[in-house]
Amino acid sequence: MNIAKVIVDIPVSSINQTFDYLIPEKFQDILSIGMRVIVPFGPRKIMGFVVDRTSESAFDKLKEISDVLDLTPALTTELLDLGRWVANETVSFYITALQAMLPQVLKAKYKKELVRMTDSELPPYLEELFSGRDVIAYEEFEGSVISYYQLQKAVQDGDISIDYLVKSKITKKHVTMIAPSRDLHLLEEALQDLSKNAKKQKQLLQYFLENSEPIEKKLLLERLQTTNQTVKILIDKALLKSYQVEVYRNPYDDDAFQRTTELELTDEQEIAIKPIKENIANNRHDVFLLHGVTGSGKTEIYLQAIQDVITKGEEAIVLVPEISLTPQMVNRFKGRFGSKVAVMHSALSAGEKFDEWRRIQRKEVQVVVGARSAIYAPFENIGIIIIDEEHETTYKQEDQPRYHARDVAIYRGKTHECPVILGSATPTLESYARAQKGVYKLATLSKRTNEKAMPEVEIVDMRDELHAGNRTMFSRELKDKIEHCIQKGEQIVLLLNRRGYSTFVMCRDCGHVKECPHCDIALTYHKNSNQLKCHYCSYEEPMPMNCPECTSDLIRYFGTGTQRVEEALTKLIPEASVIRMDVDTTRRKGSHEKLLNQFAEKQADILLGTQMIAKGLDFGNVTLVGVLTADSMLHLPDFRSSEKTFQLLTQVSGRAGRHELPGEVIVQTYTPDHYSIELASKYNFNDFYKKEMTTRKTFQYPPYVFLALLTISHQNKVKAVQTAQKIVQLLMKNIQNDTVVLGPTPSPILRVKDRYRYQCMIKYKNEPQLRSYINKILDLFAEESRKEDLLITVDMQPYHFM
DNA sequence: AGCACGCCGACT
DNA sequence: GTCGGCGTGCTC
């Protein structure tokens, strides 16, 4: 078994295979499957994953593995298999699927260096470049006047060599510890000998005589109100010693969470949890769809099921949409399970993520609560997987590998023979349909645990407002209610469903709209920087003073961004204090929590924000929720737009009147008769489901069919269309007769980053060979893709069609 | 991906 | 003769 099969860190179709390497004698005993290694690849060195060990290879001249990067495998064999499945399922490269499972810091960084190999005189230009050093960064050469040809010659002569390095990004955090370095009686002697002036030294020695345990230096200095200087004197006297220990960056202070105990379950909850507990007890795998209205106590079910799993000595994965949005969620898990919980989400620094990952890998925790990628937590005895807010689209990764965490969860649930729980107040039609068919087990929680009714929802027809001469974006109704609320000292949440709208810039004279020069999309105005930005590429330009077309100075920004709404709101109701939450005000780390805390401490009357405020917030003093434009995403080119509208309205309505005070919801819309708005206002999921299912059936959309989306992009529009056409024809030849291939159609935003995009949609019911057809097509166009910069991307079960 | 190799054409 | 610019093929 002296040969390793390695998957190499290059995401290209021609390299999407294993490469064989000899295992040098010194690594024979330590190298195991799942470890990261450095291997020579052509002239360079790159990182790879060992996926197998064998004793034979079809190749005769094998190179040796240069180095091993891990002491314990970064990936378990289960995760290696899972990666293969994900890669196949999503039509991605194996290496891409594997990389997605690991924290960023485990990815390799590559560096080139020039090394001087001779002591004899080099040509003067090279002497100048090295200027006395033996090794320099390759970039220094690139920035110099020396030609590549000149370098090449020096390399050929053996005077200089180019070194290819693989650098690890891992950084471990260390703290300095201070401890007594001698017997305590020696410290006591020293204490006697100290001069009277040495008060601080005395204090320090006394401290260690009372507490002989090592202590973190920072803490010691703080506690004794002294400085590094004093400590250093005692270290120099060899009475104390200092040393470094590695610590985990724990982003959460486990002691700060108030411990909770199990709550008594309602009858409904008891009925729901029973089959889940049976699953756990019998090592069975079922998928449960937990359909429970907001406040019906889904989380308590999760917690008690997890408790069973922990008691059994197994582990739990809990996915939540984007955890930084719900600190309350972290509180609940940390409150129940304390330091047994690791938290994984995007707001953590790379180092913090790595440390949390290692705590999981070393089995120092039994529960992980995290966003999408936490589904790859390196546990080995998973006893339950929970996906909260199952309908959230953030569970679908939007770059490769384009996996859906729900699918991965179910696959892992099968391998670990454990239950998977999908929880939501507004399940996706896909999941609910499966529950109806009995593929998933349905559990319904129809009552709130506090027996409170859901808040009353009132729909306001904005057309009537317009006819009555109200041209603001606040109906008279909403204005009155807001004022009333403020008078009573209660709080308000206002949701601006901004998607589809943004603050674009238009000339009032000639109607010219500023667009991105690289994309077919209007630029967005950002007030704080006074810049115009493109949301698709990173293009930016200052806000012009005059129209570039007609030079008129009547160029203004339009649209209903949160900034505009805030301005209008404070003009309309001057006494209102507003906290605005959107991408601009929450970009900085921790600013999200800060704003929410301010609102919780009643520093403002109104919380105004986009989608991000619809989820999981729980403020007792909020009695009014206003949705400013309920229909803004109803008209997007997306077959899920009704479903998304229904989900959003239901979620946001649940933010009002969560505790003692009763709540109210006002929904402003131009299409009050639309079923998703009407049925959301009545919390009628079942009718919405039925209605929406008929639409999906008529137009043949999921869950009646599966979808695959191929996007073809090229700088040349004609080239993109023609290739798309060819691909459609090729697909048509291979598919079964109830499969439909649509297109090519221009992507909703035709041009992005100077590339034209055409797409082709496949709707299929049963097409077991589809992935292999697609792969064949990709192979067929592989040459062209490389030579002519043609790009074909595949998205199985897409969520975004842009 | 990214590197070497080879062919070509420009410039000295 | 010297040098840079692509197109092409290959990586265990």
Side-chain angles (χ1 to χ4, degrees), chain A residues 270 612 671 789:
Chain A
E270 285 289 0
M612 61 174 75
T671 47
D789 198 20

Side-chain angles (χ1 to χ4, degrees), chain A residues 721-748:
Chain A
V721 186
Q722 281 174 349
T723 314
Q725 257 157 4
K726 277 186 211 159
I727 288 175
V728 170
Q729 278 159 15
L730 283 167
L731 281 166
M732 297 279 224
K733 265 191 226 160
N734 285 301
I735 52 167
Q736 319 229 344
N737 42 16
D738 62 343
T739 298
V740 180
V741 183
L742 300 173
T745 44
S747 172

